Amino acid sequence: MITTWKLAPAIATGNVLIINPPELTPLYGQKLAALILEAGFPPGVINTFAVKARSRAKQSQKTNFKRVTLELSGKGPSIVFPDADFENALFWTTLGITANNGQICAAGSRIYVHDSIYERFLEEFKVRTAKAVHGDPLLATTSKGPLASAGQHRKVLGYVSKAKEAGSRLLCGGKDLDGNFISNTAFADVKEDDVIMREEIFGPVAAIAKFETESEIITKANNSEYGLSAAIFTDNISRAHRIASAIETGQVTVNCWGNLHSNTPFGGMKQSGFGRDLGKEALDGWTNTKTIKIHLLPVESAKL
């Protein structure tokens, strides 16, 4: 007889859970900690520390090998096939790089469009992204807020300059607006080795390129050190399954972008981290599986 079950390390072995909010936006972590205490958790069982996630992993390795799950950067590909609903694909790909000013790990910052609809897509994408109204996020008329910090503002503008120097076609945007604002920006004909195609910018900057075949786009989609999220736009369900299975990301959405759900796990591959948030899989990183194996003896032997 073999029995397995999960043991929560914070309860069974005295370990603690550490939640790591972004160092530039730590206040939500403090609010969460206050709610955790209010819910009745003993002090010290769950902690929040606003430090860089990779630093936390290194500290764990150097000390006592405390268990760590990391949800890190992303450089998500959004892939638009010619049979996709064009308006739907345009809506989600635009949202995927402009929502929260692209300051989302799962942002669809690499947009690959089939050659047969490429120029049409570029023209419509340009129109959609230009409609954003920047200003005070508390105003109803505002559809575009600022970047998280002055440092991030400088960083994003630096990537825009690098893209121009690399010869990518500026489709729209690239403007330094008042304060920490930057216009929605897109570059077309971006090469695979260009910096804006390879590195996470964490800003509203889209790198757009064309493709022709399924094998080509699978190679391009996987040509990244990151593997967090991807989006596929097609009306062919068989194609959707083929591409989704071949792409090296922890999450793939079809005919939409993002679409998080509390019952489905979210997390990455490669340099996008390990472990999962949401879903029952989120518990795996914080529990230990224990197996007890019992050899049942015959009744006669057991009496002896």
Side-chain angles (χ1 to χ4, degrees):
M1 180 177 66
I2 299 177
T3 303
T4 64
W5 66 84
K6 305 282 188 179
L7 296 177
I11 298 174
T13 64
N15 291 340
V16 298
L17 172 63
I18 297 175
I19 300 174
N20 200 121
E23 61 269 22
L24 290 178
T25 54
L27 295 183
Y28 92 86
Q30 295 180 23
K31 179 62 176 178
L32 177 61
L35 292 174
I36 289 170
L37 286 176
E38 184 179 328
F41 281 80
V45 172
I46 300 178
N47 304 270
T48 62
F49 291 95
V51 299
K52 291 184 177 180
R54 292 176 185 267
S55 298
R56 181 64 61 192
K58 291 178 181 178
Q59 291 172 7
S60 172
Q61 294 171 5
K62 291 180 179 179
T63 54
N64 52 9
F65 284 99
K66 279 289 190 293
R67 188 174 303 177
V68 176
T69 65
L70 298 177
E71 196 270 278
L72 301 174
S73 304
K75 193 67 178 175
S78 293
I79 305 168
V80 184
F81 285 94
D83 62 351
D85 182 302
F86 189 83
E87 288 299 318
N88 180 70
L90 190 63
F91 170 80
W92 286 109
T93 52
T94 302
L95 182 65
I97 189 56
T98 60
N100 203 36
N101 267 322
Q103 298 171 117
I104 301 174
C105 54
S109 52
R110 292 187 292 149
I111 303 176
Y112 295 103
V113 183
H114 192 269
D115 179 65
S116 62
I117 58 172
Y118 185 68
E119 292 299 333
R120 177 190 174 196
F121 179 91
L122 293 181
E123 288 302 315
E124 294 295 331
F125 188 86
K126 177 180 179 180
V127 172
R128 292 290 181 93
T129 55
K131 292 180 178 180
V133 178
H134 74 284
D136 185 344
L138 298 180
L139 297 178
T141 55
T142 299
S143 60
K144 181 181 180 59
L147 293 169
S149 67
Q152 185 62 21
H153 180 248
R154 291 191 297 270
K155 177 184 175 183
V156 174
L157 288 176
Y159 275 107
V160 171
S161 296
K162 291 178 182 178
K164 291 178 179 178
E165 293 170 1
S168 294
R169 179 174 23 142
L170 179 61
L171 184 66
C172 59
K175 297 179 181 179
D176 182 4
L177 305 176
D178 298 333
N180 286 338
F181 296 89
I182 181 173
S183 59
N184 291 336
T185 304
F187 286 91
D189 310 332
V190 182
K191 299 180 178 63
E192 284 296 293
D193 59 351
D194 283 357
V195 66
I196 64 167
M197 189 68 87
R198 292 184 290 103
E199 298 182 8
E200 183 185 49
I201 298 174
F202 224 61
V205 180
I208 308 177
K210 65 178 69 173
F211 74 94
E212 294 183 0
T213 66
E214 286 190 14
S215 59
E216 176 191 0
I217 193 52
I218 290 172
T219 299
K220 288 184 174 181
N222 291 335
N223 183 28
S224 174
E225 63 179 343
Y226 302 112
L228 184 57
S229 188
I232 302 169
F233 297 90
T234 178
D235 280 347
N236 187 320
I237 190 64
S238 296
R239 169 182 283 156
H241 277 294
R242 285 195 304 272
I243 305 300
S245 297
I247 292 179
E248 299 166 351
T249 58
Q251 171 178 285
V252 179
T253 56
V254 178
N255 292 330
C256 61
W257 165 83
N259 200 21
L260 297 180
H261 193 281
S262 60
N263 290 331
T264 57
F266 179 84
M269 301 179 181
K270 300 188 280 190
Q271 294 298 309
S272 288
F274 47 85
R276 291 295 181 266
D277 297 326
L278 307 178
K280 65 181 181 63
E281 289 81 1
L283 300 176
D284 292 341
W286 309 109
T287 57
N288 293 319
T289 300
K290 185 171 186 176
T291 302
I292 298 177
K293 302 177 181 179
I294 301 176
H295 175 56
L296 299 178
L297 299 174
V299 176
E300 293 294 328
S301 300
K303 290 181 179 180
L304 297 176

